[in-house]
């Protein structure tokens, strides 16, 4: 049995999580005398008529005390005669589900509270699913507020039955139900004489003896490289935490994703040189060969980690903005951080029933199975086999907020079955043959800004200069290649992705590509830039909205203003202005010829 137990308290709002832990600490005399005195004084002006409010020991934020709810995760460290504990008291309100998930990510065991007067609620089910998603295999269901139901066994038995049904959906190692009263102290630290019908242990004695030690499924050595240490020209060490297995001097390690191998010449724990080290240790490893190793690489031995750019994952969506297929994020897994796209939403999981439900969008606090593609091949593993290389987060490219957390389920076969073939006739060869530098000049701006007219004029001038070009216009492409796409958000995302991929292929042919698309969202333009690479040149046609409406040759603005046209950029859908475009032109400030001349001067440095 481990000496340290890390556990989380969770459940629906106002189920008594903070009160339970506070009462446990108070009764077990695990708080200092001044804390006890402060608690008694603060309780006099609390919500319990002068009775001790044990939740005040955990709820430290002013907003928490005013509202009587937990908002942020509160960590407490305490030790009894038998064991040391770290407890994360997490919020129950749906609005703060992301905070609860943070607490669950560190825990070995979950204490899930259920209000005896209300039974198993939606948030109780959601928290149980999140705990299981985060790899927690040991559960305690504390049926709280038994004092409010007169300590009736029938109430407890009914809830116990519902919990058993809920647990049938999950893979767990241990689960117990304990009837408690957090305010009165029943079955918290000692057995209650008001529930003689309960034959099990009180909560604290159970936590002191429960065995949560796991046999790791991953037996080989794995260490994600966090940092390359190069204090001088004679020393090059690779630093990180050993996630599984052990390493010794003389071992032959493989570097993923490259697959190169080298022998270990030395191992350091801090400044101490050691012969070997094992899982959980932070180490510096030196190799006998100067091979390419950088942050994000993984050192392995006798481990079957996966290297691919496609996998299936289960995600807990935490962003206020919905998730739709095609959106691009930064993915962090281990020490790797790469651009990634949610290719497909397979289904979402109904919180109450556990059923797989079709969904084309995922909203805050929903759980979904998705397929993800990364911009480069990465090293990962199934979460159940290697937690460090099987857990991930998605980061919003614009706000840098964490949009989702999740776990890897399995690799996608098509990611391994496809191989990029390098051709003998390269882009550079074609560029030399055509006597030009291949570029994609990406025109973006509001409808009516003059993008198509300006792109057409620029193409004529480039052709007159002997350049080889291709113009992709938004309307023209939607009448052919993208005729199956509508104007909803996920269709717009896919529209831009396809155009970027086509532009890249045309650049590989040595052509200068001009594209004319509204492309209103910064993340989509950024995704296009990543697909196309250094050949991408962003031109912002900054013609004001008022001028665009005056032109309105298609009558679209009028329709949008009258409510007859949904998702119209600038009126019923936003346009995100480029922050750092490569060129800017306002077509209201001159004739078409004057604007084209001005723009060409800005583009000269990219076309040379």
């Amino acid at each position: 049995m481990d000496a340290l137990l890390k556990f989380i308290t969770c459940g629906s709002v106002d189920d008594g999580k903070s009160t339970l832990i506070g009462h446990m600490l108070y009764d077990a005399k695990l708080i200092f005398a001044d804390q006890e005195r402060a608690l008694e004084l603060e309780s006099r002006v609390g919500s319990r008529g002068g009775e001790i409010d044990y939740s005040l020991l955990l709820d430290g934020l002013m907003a928490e005390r005013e509202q009587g709810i937990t908002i942020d995760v509160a960590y407490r460290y305490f030790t009894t005669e038998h064991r040391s504990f770290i407890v994360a008291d997490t919020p129950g309100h749906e609005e703060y589900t992301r905070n609860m998930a943070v607490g669950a990510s560190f825990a070995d065991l979950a204490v899930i509270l259920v209000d005896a007067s209300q039974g198993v609620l939606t948030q109780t089910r959601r928290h149980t699913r999140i705990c299981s998603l985060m790899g927690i295999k040991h559960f305690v269901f504390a049926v709280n507020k038994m004092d409010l139901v007169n300590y009736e066994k029938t109430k407890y038995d009914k809830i116990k039955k519902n919990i058993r049904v809920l647990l049938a959906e999950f893979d767990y190692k241990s689960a117990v139900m304990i009837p408690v009263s957090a305010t009165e102290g029943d079955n918290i630290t000692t057995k209650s004489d008001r529930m003689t019908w309960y034959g099990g242990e009180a909560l604290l004695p159970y936590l002191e003896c429960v065995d949560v030690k796991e046999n790791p499924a991953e037996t080989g050595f794995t260490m994600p490289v966090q940092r390359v240490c190069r204090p001088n020209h004679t020393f090059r060490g690779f630093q990180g935490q050993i996630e599984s297995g052990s390493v010794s001097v003389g071992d032959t390690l493989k570097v993923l994703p490259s697959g190169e191998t080298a022998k270990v010449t030395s191992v350091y724990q801090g400044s101490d040189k050691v012969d070997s080290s094992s899982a959980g240790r932070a180490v510096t490893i030196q190799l006998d060969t100067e091979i390419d190793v950088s942050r994000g690489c993984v050192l392995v031995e006798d481990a079957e980690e996966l290297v691919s750019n496609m996998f299936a994952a289960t995600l807990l969506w935490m962003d206020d903005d919905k998730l739709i297929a095609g959106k691009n994020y930064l993915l962090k897994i281990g020490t790797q951080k790469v651009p990634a796209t949610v290719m497909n939403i397979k289904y979402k999981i109904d919180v109450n029933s556990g059923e797989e439900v079709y969904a084309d969008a995922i909203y805050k606090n929903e759980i979904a199975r998705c397929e993800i593609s990364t911009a480069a091949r990465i090293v990962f593993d199934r979460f159940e086999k290697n937690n460090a290389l099987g857990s991930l987060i998605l980061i919003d490219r614009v706000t840098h907020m964490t949009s989702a957390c999740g776990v890897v389920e399995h690799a996608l076969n098509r990611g391994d079955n496809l191989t990029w073939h390098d051709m003998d006739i390269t882009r550079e060869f074609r560029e030399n043959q055509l006597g030009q530098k291949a570029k994609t000049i990406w025109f973006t701006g509001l409808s009516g800004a003059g993008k198509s007219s300006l792109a057409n004029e620029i193409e004529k001038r480039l052709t007159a200069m002997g350049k080889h070009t291709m113009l992709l216009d938004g309307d023209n492409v939607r009448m052919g290649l993208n005729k199956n796409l509508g104007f909803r958000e996920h269709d717009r995302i896919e529209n831009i992705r396809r155009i970027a991929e086509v532009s890249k292929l045309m650049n590989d042919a040595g052509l200068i590509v001009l594209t004319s698309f509204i492309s209103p969202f910064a993340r989509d333009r950024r995704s296009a830039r990543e697909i196309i690479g250094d050949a991408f040149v962003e031109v912002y046609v900054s013609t004001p909205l008022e001028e665009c409406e005056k032109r309105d040759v298609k009558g679209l603005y009028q329709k949008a203003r009258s409510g007859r046209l949904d998702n119209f950029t600038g009126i019923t859908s936003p346009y995100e202005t480029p922050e750092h475009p490569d060129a800017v032109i306002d077509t209201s400030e001159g004739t078409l010829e004057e604007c084209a001349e001005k723009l060409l001067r800005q583009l000269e440095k990219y076309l040379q």
Side-chain angles (χ1 to χ4, degrees):
M1 182 179 68
D2 290 336
L4 174 67
L5 175 65
K6 297 178 290 185
F7 71 98
I8 177 181
T9 58
C10 52
S12 190
V13 66
D14 201 33
D15 276 350
K17 298 175 289 296
S18 300
T19 302
L20 178 100
I21 298 302
H23 207 140
M24 178 188 293
L25 298 175
Y26 186 88
D27 282 359
K29 302 188 185 304
L30 298 173
I31 58 176
F32 295 111
D34 58 338
Q35 290 178 302
E36 181 177 349
R37 180 60 178 160
L39 175 64
E40 293 168 351
L41 290 173
E42 290 173 0
S43 295
R44 292 179 183 178
V45 293
S47 58
R48 297 197 64 230
E51 294 292 323
I52 293 178
D53 184 354
Y54 300 99
S55 68
L56 296 177
L57 282 173
L58 281 296
D59 291 339
L61 299 177
M62 182 62 70
E64 292 178 322
R65 297 189 175 202
E66 289 174 348
Q67 300 179 57
I69 63 172
T70 300
I71 295 176
D72 201 0
V73 182
Y75 294 93
R76 288 294 180 270
Y77 308 81
F78 62 95
T79 302
T80 66
E81 292 181 2
H82 305 286
R83 197 172 210 169
S84 295
F85 299 88
I86 303 176
V87 56
D89 180 40
T90 65
H93 198 285
E94 185 175 354
E95 178 67 21
Y96 307 112
T97 299
R98 67 160 60 224
N99 296 4
M100 177 267 158
V102 171
S105 65
F106 102 109
D108 303 312
L109 178 146
V111 177
I112 301 178
L113 277 81
V114 181
D115 189 329
S117 63
Q118 299 189 62
V120 177
L121 303 176
T122 298
Q123 192 70 337
T124 315
R125 298 177 186 275
R126 177 180 284 111
H127 282 194
T128 305
R129 294 188 190 283
I130 293 173
C131 287
S132 180
L133 179 67
M134 295 297 176
I136 295 177
K137 301 292 187 183
H138 302 272
F139 294 89
V140 175
F141 287 86
V143 183
N144 191 26
K145 303 186 181 181
M146 288 299 296
D147 54 308
L148 298 185
V149 297
N150 298 317
Y151 301 99
E152 291 183 13
K153 183 177 184 294
T154 54
K155 292 280 188 181
Y156 169 74
D157 287 340
K158 182 178 179 180
I159 293 173
K160 183 177 180 180
K161 181 179 179 180
N162 291 335
I163 293 172
R164 289 295 183 194
V165 172
L166 174 62
L167 283 173
E169 303 173 27
F170 305 108
D171 178 24
Y172 64 93
K173 297 292 179 62
S174 68
V176 299
M177 289 75 159
I178 303 177
V180 302
S181 172
T183 55
E184 302 301 326
D186 295 289
N187 283 341
I188 302 298
T189 57
T190 58
K191 287 289 294 293
S192 170
D193 57 8
R194 287 181 279 205
M195 288 179 282
T196 54
W197 45 263
Y198 170 67
E201 295 180 281
L203 178 59
L204 182 59
Y206 176 80
L207 294 178
E208 287 179 322
C209 64
V210 62
D211 186 5
V212 296
K213 187 179 294 184
E214 298 287 339
N215 294 320
E218 177 63 79
T219 55
F221 168 78
T222 60
M223 190 195 83
V225 176
Q226 187 170 3
R227 180 174 180 265
V228 178
C229 178
R230 195 74 184 263
N232 56 59
H233 71 281
T234 63
F235 188 97
R236 184 168 179 247
F238 308 107
Q239 298 179 324
Q241 177 175 294
I242 301 175
E243 297 296 347
S244 64
S246 61
V247 64
S248 302
V249 174
D251 287 350
T252 299
L253 303 184
K254 180 187 291 186
V255 180
L256 297 178
S258 69
E260 295 182 280
T261 60
K263 283 192 174 182
V264 178
T265 58
S266 63
V267 179
Y268 290 85
Q269 288 179 181
S271 59
D272 298 328
K273 197 170 185 178
V274 295
D275 292 330
S276 63
S277 191
S278 57
R281 298 279 190 175
V283 296
T284 302
I285 295 174
Q286 280 189 289
L287 302 176
D288 67 345
T289 308
E290 288 285 336
I291 57 178
D292 183 17
V293 182
S294 59
R295 177 180 171 86
C297 293
V298 181
L299 303 181
V300 302
E301 183 187 34
D302 298 328
E304 298 178 357
E305 309 307 319
L306 304 170
V307 179
S308 182
N309 62 349
M310 294 182 187
F311 60 88
T314 301
L315 301 179
L316 167 64
W317 192 248
M318 302 189 295
D319 205 318
D320 290 329
D321 293 334
K322 65 184 178 182
L323 168 67
I324 58 177
K327 278 194 173 181
N328 186 269
Y329 299 90
L330 286 176
L331 178 141
K332 189 173 187 302
I333 185 166
T335 57
Q336 305 161 99
K337 185 186 286 187
V338 295
T341 301
V342 178
M343 299 187 296
N344 186 23
I345 300 172
K346 299 293 289 183
Y347 55 81
K348 71 176 180 180
I349 300 172
D350 185 277
V351 173
N352 286 304
S353 65
E355 293 181 356
E356 300 171 1
V357 181
Y358 168 79
D360 58 6
I362 303 300
Y363 296 87
K364 188 175 182 178
N365 297 332
E366 290 187 330
I367 299 173
R369 177 70 63 85
C370 302
E371 294 181 342
I372 296 175
S373 170
T374 57
R377 291 168 65 83
I378 62 170
V379 185
F380 60 89
D381 208 337
R382 289 179 293 110
F383 179 74
E384 62 184 27
K385 185 180 174 186
N386 188 314
N387 289 4
L389 293 176
S391 56
L392 62 95
I393 61 172
L394 294 179
I395 304 168
D396 188 277
R397 303 293 301 272
V398 177
T399 65
H400 298 287
M401 294 286 289
T402 300
S403 295
C405 63
V407 298
V408 175
E409 298 293 348
H410 58 81
L412 297 177
N413 291 334
R414 60 183 181 272
D416 297 326
N417 295 338
L418 300 175
T419 302
W420 182 267
H421 291 276
D422 294 320
M423 304 302 181
D424 292 334
I425 306 300
T426 64
R427 174 191 292 191
E428 290 74 18
F429 179 89
R430 297 187 181 101
E431 286 178 330
N432 291 333
Q433 191 179 49
L434 297 175
Q436 64 185 33
K437 201 74 174 173
K439 294 290 180 183
T440 292
I441 304 173
W442 191 282
F443 289 80
T444 176
L446 295 171
S447 177
K451 300 183 299 298
S452 295
S453 299
L454 189 57
N456 185 59
E457 183 65 24
I458 293 294
E459 185 182 31
K460 288 194 298 183
R461 296 185 180 222
L462 290 175
T463 302
M465 296 162 57
K467 303 295 185 182
H468 300 264
T469 64
M470 182 64 198
L471 173 57
L472 301 175
D473 178 73
D475 285 359
N476 293 353
V477 171
R478 278 190 173 274
M479 294 174 70
L481 174 66
N482 292 345
K483 68 188 303 180
N484 65 317
L485 299 178
F487 289 90
R488 291 183 298 175
E489 189 176 1
H490 68 272
D491 289 322
R492 289 186 171 196
I493 292 171
E494 177 61 12
N495 182 55
I496 297 302
R497 188 195 69 81
R498 291 184 190 179
I499 296 306
E501 294 288 0
V502 169
S503 299
K504 180 183 179 182
L505 290 173
M506 289 184 171
N507 286 158
D508 286 343
L511 299 177
I512 297 173
V513 182
L514 300 96
T515 72
S516 174
F517 297 89
I518 295 174
S519 46
F521 300 115
R523 63 173 176 270
D524 296 337
R525 297 192 298 268
R526 185 182 293 107
S527 178
R529 183 184 290 272
E530 288 172 353
I531 291 171
I532 295 167
D534 294 339
F536 186 90
V537 179
E538 185 177 50
V539 176
Y540 173 38
V541 184
S542 61
T543 309
L545 175 62
E546 297 76 16
E547 179 64 25
C548 295
E549 285 201 66
K550 287 179 185 177
R551 298 173 179 178
D552 202 12
V553 293
K554 303 176 186 177
L556 300 178
Y557 282 99
Q558 187 178 359
K559 288 182 180 179
R561 292 286 189 191
S562 62
R564 291 178 291 149
L565 186 60
D566 295 329
N567 300 317
F568 187 73
T569 303
I571 305 299
T572 54
S573 182
Y575 178 81
E576 298 173 0
T577 303
E579 292 184 0
H580 305 290
D582 300 300
V584 180
I585 190 73
D586 181 350
T587 62
S588 67
E589 295 180 346
T591 65
L592 178 60
E593 291 73 18
E594 290 171 342
C595 291
E597 188 64 36
K598 188 184 297 184
L599 179 57
L600 266 179
R601 288 198 295 270
Q602 296 185 62
L603 295 176
E604 280 180 358
K605 60 182 178 182
Y606 300 106
L607 298 174
Q608 292 175 353

